[in-house]
Amino acid sequence: MVSALGMTAVLGGCGSTGSSDVTLKLVAADYGDSAASSSQKYWDKLAKEYESQHSGVKVEVSVYSWNDVDAKVKEMVDAGHAPDLAQIGAYADYAAADKLYPASDLLSIRTQADFLSQLADAGEWKHVQYGIPFAASTRVLFYNKTLFAKAGIAPPTTWSELAADAKALKDKGVKYPYALPLGPEEAQAETMQWLLSGGNGYTDDIGTYTIDSAQNVQTFSWLKDELVGKGLTGPVAPGKLNRAAAFAAFADGQVGMLNGHPTLIQQAGKKGVQFGMVPMPGRTGKAKAAMGVTDWMMGFKQNGHAKQIGDFLDFVYSEKNVLAFSHEYGLLPVTGSASNTMSDSGSAQDKDLHPFLDQLPTSQLYPVGKTSWAAVSVAVKKDIGQAVAPDGSPSGILTRLQATATTADSGSASAG
């Protein structure tokens, strides 16, 4: 998964005004991992079905990899050629620049009411929803059942149990007892899951950054002293271990346990790894919350197609289409109707997603409504690995990141 989540979307047009046709342009991210699974196929099929029911509307979809899609949309907007719709990783900068329609100007009341509330709330900038959740994911602790059986251990429910399990796995020669990917690819995710399991997070309940809180310093001090310092995280320094490499090592049977999202189910399953999934342990019991991630759909105001955009989105977010996307890419639905259907389903594919689905209503998302988050995320990816290095200072690194966040926050506030 390359985005926060990993998903693709392409959108199209709808309803005609008068006798003239309308072409809706959608730029979407690719959640597939090959040409055969490209999101372009999903969206082309959806657009064709929509066009067959709306003679005055064409939907043009352009799908780009997650490495390129955010930059592509920015380039289009900067050049004065914004798409009608974009399905990408972040919306706040465009909302702050007054480029987007509020969701209430686009969606029917029924569609708006169907979104899971904490995902819809995360789409707000200055208390107005501009970001429309598109697909979601949470994290759970994956563990290798074969390696656990050989070590005679059970899945952990507390940090001390996790450390004891990791030591037992190391004693049996497991290469990565607990894989801790704090490398630059997706360190902000692993960091957030640990901050939540330690009882805090990136921000407090009113959205103020609390990166250097006493709880967060304690969390990273524990990681440095009890896991990394005791050689329980494997041969690659956490600051150099990327999430994709950690997932690949798990699929190769070299990892005892790690935080993972739904795509790891297929990746490990293809290699025949016998694995289990449990909630991430907290310091002394259940973690404060699981980390949730969602990607975003948004409608740009430039071309004035609010009615058409909204009608197409009501189609995109029908229960049938939301479930089809979730099934295609192993992601969680963002609507209550589709979530309930998946929860009640007895299919093997849906049952695999139930541990993630169960966590979604209480999960905590990145502070995506802050225009400063992009800069903070970059700084975390670059620096957090140093906090657990042999000569690293958890309090020093977290204090530095807090200063970066505070500066970015005040800068974005004045700019907004």
Side-chain angles (χ1 to χ4, degrees), residues 159-170:
W159 286 4
S160 58
E161 289 178 8
L162 187 148
D165 283 353
K167 181 170 189 314
L169 291 162
K170 183 185 181 185

Side-chain angles (χ1 to χ4, degrees), residues 139-144 147-148 162 165-166 169 174-183 189-191 193-194 223 227-228 231-251 253-260 264 280 388:
R139 302 288 168 110
V140 299
L141 187 74
F142 282 71
Y143 66 97
N144 183 311
L147 298 178
F148 266 58
L162 187 148
D165 283 353
L169 291 162
V174 174
K175 189 172 181 182
Y176 294 92
Y178 178 86
L180 183 66
L182 296 177
E190 184 76 11
T191 297
Q193 186 62 74
W194 276 100
L223 283 172
L227 287 188
V228 183
L232 302 178
T233 54
V236 179
K240 297 195 182 319
L241 181 66
N242 278 329
R243 194 268 314 156
F247 277 21
F250 186 85
Q254 299 176 335
V255 174
M257 49 189 159
L258 83 173
N259 278 316
L264 187 54
M280 175 69 180
V388 297

Side-chain angles (χ1 to χ4, degrees), residues 344-362:
D344 295 340
S345 167
S347 76
Q349 182 185 25
D350 285 344
K351 279 184 173 177
D352 279 344
L353 291 173
H354 285 176
F356 301 93
L357 201 59
D358 291 345
Q359 295 189 140
L360 189 57
T362 58

Side-chain angles (χ1 to χ4, degrees), residues 348-412:
Q349 182 185 25
D350 285 344
K351 279 184 173 177
D352 279 344
L353 291 173
H354 285 176
F356 301 93
L357 201 59
D358 291 345
Q359 295 189 140
L360 189 57
T362 58
S363 65
Q364 289 201 6
L365 280 70
Y366 297 126
V368 288
K370 297 168 81 67
T371 54
S372 55
W373 169 242
V376 174
S377 177
V378 167
V380 171
K381 291 179 186 180
K382 177 173 167 286
D383 291 341
I384 197 65
Q386 298 171 43
V388 297
D391 57 349
S393 164
S395 62
I397 294 296
L398 293 177
T399 299
R400 194 161 87 206
L401 289 170
Q402 176 69 25
T404 299
T406 302
T407 301
D409 216 22
S410 60
S412 61

Side-chain angles (χ1 to χ4, degrees), residues 282-307:
R283 191 185 301 272
T284 56
K286 195 174 177 187
K288 175 182 174 181
M291 188 190 80
V293 180
T294 188
D295 294 325
W296 301 99
M297 181 72 74
M298 60 212 70
F300 283 87
K301 296 197 293 188
Q302 183 179 330
N303 302 319
H305 294 151
K307 179 181 181 300

Side-chain angles (χ1 to χ4, degrees), residues 23-91:
T23 297
L24 290 182
K25 295 186 176 179
L26 170 69
V27 175
D30 196 350
Y31 292 89
D33 56 11
S34 66
S37 64
S38 169
S39 301
Q40 187 80 49
K41 291 189 172 182
Y42 173 85
W43 287 106
D44 286 350
K45 181 182 175 189
L46 201 65
K48 189 175 179 182
E49 184 183 346
Y50 182 79
E51 289 169 355
S52 72
Q53 301 167 20
H54 299 76
S55 58
V57 177
K58 291 279 295 173
V59 178
E60 250 178 44
V61 176
S62 305
V63 173
Y64 296 91
S65 81
W66 272 108
N67 294 331
D68 303 323
V69 69
D70 288 279
K72 184 66 182 176
V73 171
K74 183 177 188 304
E75 181 184 300
M76 294 169 73
V77 172
D78 289 349
H81 302 295
D84 295 289
L85 289 151
Q87 189 274 301
I88 51 179
Y91 68 86

Side-chain angles (χ1 to χ4, degrees), residues 212-286:
D212 63 349
S213 71
Q215 280 173 302
N216 290 345
V217 171
Q218 286 171 5
T219 294
F220 267 82
S221 297
W222 185 89
L223 283 172
K224 178 178 185 288
D225 297 340
E226 301 301 323
L227 287 188
V228 183
K230 293 183 177 177
L232 302 178
T233 54
V236 179
K240 297 195 182 319
L241 181 66
N242 278 329
R243 194 268 314 156
F247 277 21
F250 186 85
D252 286 339
Q254 299 176 335
V255 174
M257 49 189 159
L258 83 173
N259 278 316
H261 50 57
T263 56
L264 187 54
I265 294 173
Q266 283 186 320
Q267 194 174 343
K270 282 178 188 170
K271 295 283 194 81
V273 172
Q274 298 295 308
F275 62 87
M277 298 178 289
V278 294
M280 175 69 180
R283 191 185 301 272
T284 56
K286 195 174 177 187

